[in-house]
């Protein structure tokens, strides 16, 4: 499996091309995720992706021909991606089945501010 961790950034930081913190935090999230998957016995690799999740998926599909795409989001009340209808937009754009997983955490993962 290939995990993509988008480099989530604030609009201001994106406008001024300040992506270093967003990329670092995406690397931290990716390392945590890959560690958990590998401890569970799964063969998992990953990369940091574009801040736009649809673009991150497209980029990853160029070198990892996935049979299925899993999109993990926060619950609806905390998810900007769900507000922007990400899951349905992905389903209309990609031929692969899209599985949506809602991740509930007691502590949020780091995101660039």
């Amino acid at each position: 499996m290939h995990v993509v961790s988008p480099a989530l950034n604030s609009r201001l930081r994106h406008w001024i091309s300040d992506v270093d913190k967003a990329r670092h935090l995406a690397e931290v999230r990716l390392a945590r995720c890959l560690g958990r998957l590998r401890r569970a016995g799964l063969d998992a690799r990953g990369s940091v992706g574009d801040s736009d999740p649809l673009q991150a998926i497209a980029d990853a599909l160029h070198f990892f021909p996935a049979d299925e795409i899993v999109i993990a989001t926060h619950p609806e009340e905390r998810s900007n991606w769900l507000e922007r209808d990400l899951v349905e937009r992905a389903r209309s754009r990609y031929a692969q089945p899209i599985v949506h997983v809602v991740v509930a955490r007691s502590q949020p993962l780091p995101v660039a501010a």
Side-chain angles (χ1 to χ4, degrees), residues 5 7-8 19-31 48 110 112:
S5 180
L8 304 175
V19 297
D20 293 342
K21 183 175 180 181
R23 289 195 61 78
H24 170 73
L25 294 175
E27 289 168 358
V28 169
R29 289 191 307 272
L30 179 62
V48 172

Side-chain angles (χ1 to χ4, degrees), residues 5 12-13 19 22 38-39 43 56-57 73 75 82 86 92 94 97 105 113:
S5 180
L12 175 61
R13 288 188 183 276
V19 297
R38 289 173 182 154
R39 283 191 297 277
D43 180 20
I57 293 168
T73 69
L82 293 179
L86 170 67
S92 68
Y94 300 107
R105 293 187 49 86

